Amino acid sequence: MKKQIINECRISFPSLSVNESYARTVTAAFAAQCDPTVKEITEIKTAVSEAVTNAIVHGYRGCVGKVELLLRQYSGGLIYITVRDKGAGIADIEQAMTPLFTTASEEERSGLGFSVMSSFMDKVSVKSAPGKGTSVTMEKRISCRASAEELRREPAGQVS
Amino acid sequence: MVKLYNDGGRITAALYGDIDHHSAREMRQELDEVIARSQPEMLIIDMENVGFMDSSGIGLILGRLRAVHAHGGEIIIKNARPEIAAVIRLSGLSGLLVEVDKNEKANN
């Protein structure tokens, strides 16, 4: 079955740590349309928080840049989230994704950001180039609850 | 925000709100002050009023664990919500998580 796009939202904000909670709140509101469980919504919020924090702490270390958050919902309760920065980029993505690896231990970064994203989302992929920035895309299917399933079945363009 | 309750060598630090990279800085300062001042044998981190925590919370806990261990103390974490406990487990710090009954909580 072809994936049908249900909703899309694109926001950008300055890479200030105070905006981490804003990014989570926007994501939670967007995902709420799929009628997720509390567990699912918390997992999505946590994963977004990790990706946005990485953009702020690593992408734009010592400066302020623009963080982009792209949210997409497809039919069947599939949520896609992309967090993108045009900051420092990552030279070695595999190393960056290794649990407990961090380049910011002085700021008490635990090196678990990608582990959390991978654990809480179905898929995580990272594209990055030094000097160009980083893009993290995550995917999660929200379990179908009865009411949400009904909404999803509503045919496009139907007149009531 | 951090609220502190002192009971002899035991200090309970009740954390409030979301723990992320932004809020962890302030909590770190408040916890470090009390650790330096009181050198607790036991620091109980109460997460009952924490609605959200990402891996910034792990950095926060690990840093305080080092500070408390430095003078022979211990840390335990109580009342963590399931999703927060999941983040703590990912970090390998699950040994700090304790289940507490309501009676003990009432006495704190």
Side-chain angles (χ1 to χ4, degrees), chain A residues 11-88:
Chain A
I11 62 162
S12 65
F13 51 88
S15 62
L16 301 171
S17 65
V18 69
N19 292 330
E20 289 156 5
S21 65
Y22 167 71
R24 290 197 297 274
T25 308
V26 168
T27 306
F30 182 87
Q33 208 174 11
C34 297
D35 195 23
T37 61
V38 172
K39 182 171 184 281
E40 286 166 336
I41 205 100
T42 310
E43 289 175 342
I44 291 172
K45 278 171 74 179
T46 312
V48 164
S49 198
E50 300 293 352
V52 167
T53 303
N54 276 350
I56 292 170
V57 172
H58 302 286
Y60 296 117
R61 183 177 287 193
C63 62
V64 177
K66 194 166 82 171
V67 182
E68 290 182 329
L69 175 65
L70 172 64
L71 304 162
R72 276 206 190 103
Q73 186 206 147
Y74 289 94
S75 50
L78 199 57
I79 302 261
Y80 273 79
I81 300 167
T82 300
V83 176
R84 188 180 298 146
D85 68 70
K86 291 193 165 64

Side-chain angles (χ1 to χ4, degrees), chain A residues 17 20 24 49-50 108, chain B residues 20-22 25 54-55 64:
Chain A
S17 65
E20 289 156 5
R24 290 197 297 274
S49 198
E50 300 293 352
E108 296 195 337
Chain B
D20 62 10
H21 160 243
H22 182 73
R25 270 180 279 188
D54 66 17
S55 73
R64 308 303 68 75

Side-chain angles (χ1 to χ4, degrees), chain A residues 58-137:
Chain A
H58 302 286
Y60 296 117
R61 183 177 287 193
C63 62
V64 177
K66 194 166 82 171
V67 182
E68 290 182 329
L69 175 65
L70 172 64
L71 304 162
R72 276 206 190 103
Q73 186 206 147
Y74 289 94
S75 50
L78 199 57
I79 302 261
Y80 273 79
I81 300 167
T82 300
V83 176
R84 188 180 298 146
D85 68 70
K86 291 193 165 64
I90 304 168
D92 186 339
I93 294 174
E94 202 182 327
Q95 184 186 44
M97 293 182 83
T98 305
L100 305 176
F101 175 84
T102 182
T103 54
S105 50
E106 76 286 355
E107 290 176 63
E108 296 195 337
R109 304 306 308 158
S110 61
L112 288 167
F114 281 118
S115 306
V116 169
M117 289 181 238
S118 305
S119 160
F120 285 174
M121 303 295 280
D122 298 339
K123 275 186 201 164
V124 179
S125 62
V126 182
K127 279 186 202 155
S128 189
K132 298 216 164 139
T134 301
S135 166
V136 177
T137 298

